[in-house]
Amino acid sequence: MLWWKLQRLKSRDVKTRCRMIEEVAGSGDLTALEPVAEALADEVPEVRIAAAKALGAFHDDRVLPPLISAIKDRNAEVRAAAIFSLRRLGDAGAIDALVHGLADYHHAVRWQAAGAFSAMGWRPSNNIEFVLRAVATCQHEDAAVHGAEAVEALTSALEDPTCPRRNAAAIALGKTGDSRAVPPLENALNDADSHVRVAAVEALSLIGHPQSATALLKLLQDPDHLVRATAIESLGRMGDARIVEYIAASLIHDTSWDVRKLSVEALGRIKDEAATQLLWVALKDPDHDVRQTAATSLGQIPDPKSIGPLVLALKDENSAVRQAAKGSLRQIDRQWEISAGAQSAIPELEAAINDREYWVAQSAADTLAKINDMRQRMLETTFFTNPAKDKHRQALTVLVDSLRDFDRDFRQAAVEALGRIGDVNAVAPLVSALDDQDEWVGRAAALALNHLNWEPPPEDVRRVEKIKSLMLRT
């Protein structure tokens, strides 16, 4: 019956031709090998696929040439089927052809080629072969390690709609750091898959190509909020002040809190007057994460004009926002409570004391108390402080601390200075200096105490003898 089945390989019915190919190949009769191989030239892809699969059942060297030729078929499924059959054969003569399959523009073909090599125990002999296998198995980051040598293969994966991890291919392209990756990545910014667009933005940010900013700006209108957020984050890293006007629109009108939050972070990196004013606006954002980020960002821009808005943020209903505002105020001015900005915020703080929200009213009251307390302290300090006495007290403190210095000359000079100052508060440290390990320091202490008219009590025999001994040596 084999001859009849071979005749039916020429049937006009496609399904019949496919079924006969499977049946004659299953018979294992080598006389069917040549007719099945001829079916690789059939005009219908389904027939060629069936033939490519069937040839793998013939364990004969003669199937190798037609299968190798089929790896160049115009249909990806035919190519994949041919590689699958070559895998079954495990013939080393197919290695060069399989390497060609690793570079195929269709993921399924590349995957089959990598599987064939794995089954054959093959190992790459150079960087290009390593890259091709890594991309074929979707190990894109492994390919990126080889930099410029990986750009072409990763670009093919990115542009292949059948590749299941095109977003990973985009990120890997960015990690190559090669400028040739910029054009395909910019093209990917228009991809139908939002995950690929996000990955393309991140990759362009890794490369840091300045001309990419123009392409990224267009994504601020992207329908997917993750794309918009990633684009704003990348633009912020570039620190280009031109994006402020675009971010202004995002900050006010974008419905996604994460986009607004990343807009605020970007403004904090730009650090110019327009960015600062937008951060003041963000302190009133409906989302507390956005407000907190705005408060933190203002601390990175030491602008005294931000004190007023930050003081008002101290009455925010959210504790994280209040804490961020406190930290930023201290960064801008450690005595912000007595600044003009704090004074200008007092009327609004006073009004907030009657707010229905407990924490708003309580925080406003606390802030007012701090401002008033600091102002009172400053008034008292100004009224009671004697500049001359302050200098005297500071000098005394420095000299007493110097008695512990490791340098004996320094200690001796401090002792002599304390004697000349003539302050009774120096007596106690000078008495301690009598026992200094250096004799000259002890003698200087004895002279200083004598200058201060100090004598040890008679019952303190040790001190009496110590001073006598030191004075006799001077």
Side-chain angles (χ1 to χ4, degrees):
M1 294 294 292
L2 180 63
W3 66 272
W4 172 242
K5 292 179 179 179
L6 291 175
Q7 289 296 318
R8 299 190 70 188
L9 288 177
K10 300 177 182 179
S11 170
R12 293 182 178 180
D13 183 68
V14 172
K15 291 183 178 180
T16 299
R17 297 204 299 276
C18 291
R19 189 173 70 254
M20 290 303 105
I21 287 172
E22 293 174 3
E23 290 183 8
V24 298
S27 70
D29 194 322
L30 293 179
T31 58
L33 190 154
E34 186 173 345
V36 172
E38 289 176 354
L40 286 173
D42 196 284
E43 61 181 10
V44 180
E46 287 82 353
V47 178
R48 300 202 301 277
I49 293 168
K53 290 180 179 178
L55 285 174
F58 294 101
H59 296 284
D60 191 283
D61 292 343
R62 289 175 295 170
V63 304
L64 202 60
L67 285 175
I68 290 174
S69 179
I71 291 178
K72 299 179 181 179
D73 192 276
R74 60 186 179 276
N75 184 278
E77 289 188 62
V78 176
R79 300 196 299 274
I83 290 173
F84 181 77
S85 290
L86 287 171
R87 173 179 178 173
R88 293 175 65 187
L89 293 173
D91 196 311
I95 287 179
D96 289 343
L98 289 173
V99 171
H100 181 81
L102 281 179
D104 197 275
Y105 60 84
H106 197 285
H107 170 72
V109 180
R110 298 193 299 271
W111 182 266
Q112 283 293 349
F117 276 134
S118 179
M120 295 167 64
W122 172 85
R123 293 290 180 272
S125 60
N126 54 56
N127 288 347
I128 296 298
E129 289 180 353
F130 178 91
V131 165
L132 289 174
R133 186 179 69 170
V135 173
T137 55
C138 292
Q139 304 299 314
H140 300 116
E141 289 197 7
D142 291 343
V145 172
H146 292 282
E149 293 177 297
V151 171
E152 186 176 348
L154 288 170
T155 298
S156 295
L158 175 61
E159 296 175 347
D160 178 8
T162 66
C163 180
R165 297 189 64 214
R166 290 192 301 128
N167 56 326
I171 295 294
L173 269 173
K175 290 183 177 180
T176 65
D178 195 295
S179 59
R180 291 178 300 151
V182 172
L185 286 171
E186 288 186 347
N187 289 336
L189 296 177
N190 300 313
D191 198 274
D193 188 336
S194 63
H195 295 90
V196 174
R197 298 199 300 276
V198 168
V201 173
E202 293 177 352
L204 286 169
S205 179
L206 289 172
I207 295 174
H209 199 284
Q211 294 180 353
S212 299
T214 303
L216 292 177
L217 285 170
K218 297 177 182 177
L219 293 182
L220 298 183
Q221 305 299 325
D222 194 277
D224 189 282
H225 74 101
L226 290 177
V227 177
R228 298 196 302 276
T230 310
I232 284 177
E233 185 177 28
S234 297
L235 288 165
R237 288 200 204 103
M238 294 179 182
D240 191 334
R242 294 177 300 173
I243 68 170
V244 172
E245 61 180 287
Y246 292 90
I247 289 180
S250 302
L251 190 61
I252 297 171
H253 302 298
D254 204 288
T255 56
S256 295
W257 70 269
D258 55 344
V259 176
R260 301 198 304 276
K261 179 182 177 181
L262 289 168
S263 296
V264 166
E265 289 181 356
L267 290 171
R269 294 189 183 98
I270 293 168
K271 300 179 181 179
D272 71 358
E273 187 173 354
T276 302
Q277 292 176 359
L278 286 171
L279 289 173
W280 299 344
V281 174
L283 287 173
K284 299 178 181 179
D285 192 273
D287 186 271
H288 67 85
D289 280 336
V290 178
R291 300 197 302 276
Q292 179 185 352
T293 305
T296 301
S297 296
L298 284 168
Q300 301 166 10
I301 308 173
D303 189 341
K305 293 193 293 293
S306 296
I307 291 177
L310 282 169
V311 169
L312 293 176
L314 292 177
K315 65 179 180 63
D316 196 279
E317 62 185 28
N318 185 273
S319 62
V321 178
R322 297 195 297 272
Q323 290 301 319
K326 287 179 184 177
S328 292
L329 282 167
R330 293 294 179 213
Q331 286 179 274
I332 296 173
D333 185 350
R334 297 198 65 80
Q335 293 186 319
W336 61 266
E337 294 94 341
I338 58 173
S339 68
Q343 300 304 309
S344 67
I346 289 177
E348 193 167 336
L349 290 172
E350 290 175 338
I353 291 177
N354 299 316
D355 197 279
R356 293 181 179 179
E357 174 62 45
Y358 171 79
W359 282 112
V360 173
Q362 183 63 41
S363 300
D366 289 345
T367 304
L368 277 171
K370 286 182 179 179
I371 293 173
N372 292 329
D373 182 59
M374 179 60 76
R375 184 167 54 182
Q376 186 62 32
R377 286 186 190 178
M378 292 301 295
L379 289 172
E380 291 174 357
T381 302
T382 304
F383 185 78
F384 291 108
T385 297
N386 185 319
K389 287 186 177 180
D390 278 348
K391 289 181 180 179
H392 181 88
R393 185 168 52 252
Q394 291 171 8
L396 185 65
T397 302
V398 171
L399 290 171
V400 171
D401 288 342
S402 299
L403 296 179
R404 294 189 293 270
D405 196 88
F406 70 91
D407 189 313
R408 49 93 45 212
D409 290 333
F410 198 68
R411 296 198 304 277
Q412 182 177 346
V415 166
E416 292 171 353
L418 284 169
R420 288 194 295 271
I421 286 177
D423 193 317
V424 294
N425 292 314
V427 170
L430 285 172
V431 170
S432 298
L434 290 171
D435 297 319
D436 193 277
Q437 61 183 357
D438 185 86
E439 181 181 345
W440 291 99
V441 176
R443 291 182 189 180
L447 288 170
L449 288 168
N450 183 58
H451 180 73
L452 291 169
N453 298 316
W454 180 86
E455 294 181 359
E459 63 270 18
D460 189 351
V461 178
R462 190 184 74 81
R463 292 288 186 200
V464 172
E465 295 299 324
K466 181 75 174 179
I467 289 180
K468 284 182 180 179
S469 173
L470 291 170
M471 293 296 287
L472 286 172
R473 298 176 190 176
T474 57

